[in-house]
């Protein structure tokens, strides 16, 4: 798993409309599955029913724990995410309708 790429895609998705903060929790679970643990990641992975603000608080702390720096602009994050979605549709990992809906969110977020 490429943690930086996975995280960048999550950050891009977070910029789009209708972002479900449960994906932050899912990110924490994936980090644990891949052998990355810290107190903040463990807390984040257990925040299923907490508020978005609480999930985001522990997500940002978890990024600090892993020394993951956000070195891309919002536009760069969205651009890379759009490529990912296009590839997933092309390789039939995502339906064209779902891909279109995600792309519309990316367009709205990037203005």
């Amino acid at each position: 798993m490429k943690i930086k790429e996975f995280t960048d895609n999550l950050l891009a998705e977070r910029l789009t409309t209708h972002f479900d903060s449960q994906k932050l929790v899912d990110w924490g679970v994936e980090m644990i599955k891949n052998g990355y643990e810290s107190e903040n990641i463990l807390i984040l992975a257990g925040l299923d029913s907490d508020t978005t603000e609480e999930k985001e608080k522990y997500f940002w702390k978890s990024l600090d724990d892993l020394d993951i720096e956000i070195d891309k602009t919002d536009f760069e994050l969205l651009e890379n995410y759009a490529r990912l979605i296009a590839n997933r549709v092309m390789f039939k990992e995502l339906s064209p309708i779902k891909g279109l809906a995600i792309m519309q969110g990316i367009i709205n977020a990037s203005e």
Side-chain angles (χ1 to χ4, degrees):
M1 167 192 260
K2 296 179 180 177
I3 296 171
K4 180 70 168 112
E5 185 178 319
F6 182 58
T7 303
D8 283 352
N9 289 331
L10 177 66
L11 290 169
E13 189 174 352
R14 187 176 162 269
L15 295 169
T16 64
T17 55
H18 303 35
F19 177 72
D20 181 359
S21 66
Q22 180 60 33
K23 291 186 179 193
L24 298 173
V25 175
D26 296 343
W27 177 91
V29 171
E30 282 300 312
M31 292 301 106
I32 293 168
K33 285 181 183 177
N34 284 278
Y36 299 95
E37 288 187 21
S38 72
E39 182 178 345
N40 291 313
I41 293 171
L42 292 171
I43 291 170
L44 175 61
L47 294 178
D48 288 330
S49 59
D50 283 84
T51 64
T52 296
E53 292 78 20
E54 194 72 6
K55 292 172 186 174
E56 286 187 349
K57 173 181 149 185
Y58 284 100
F59 172 73
W60 292 113
K61 287 182 177 188
S62 296
L63 290 182
D64 285 342
D65 293 347
L66 296 174
D67 291 324
I68 295 176
E69 293 184 29
I70 309 309
D71 56 357
K72 291 185 173 74
T73 65
D74 288 353
F75 184 81
E76 290 170 322
L77 290 169
L78 290 167
E79 186 176 45
N80 290 338
Y81 185 55
R83 280 192 204 103
L84 171 74
I85 297 305
N87 284 330
R88 289 184 64 203
V89 169
M90 207 168 58
F91 292 109
K92 300 183 192 254
E93 298 169 6
L94 191 64
S95 76
I97 297 297
K98 180 70 174 167
L100 178 60
I102 294 170
M103 288 293 196
Q104 287 174 326
I106 292 170
I107 290 168
N108 290 340
S110 66
E111 300 176 358

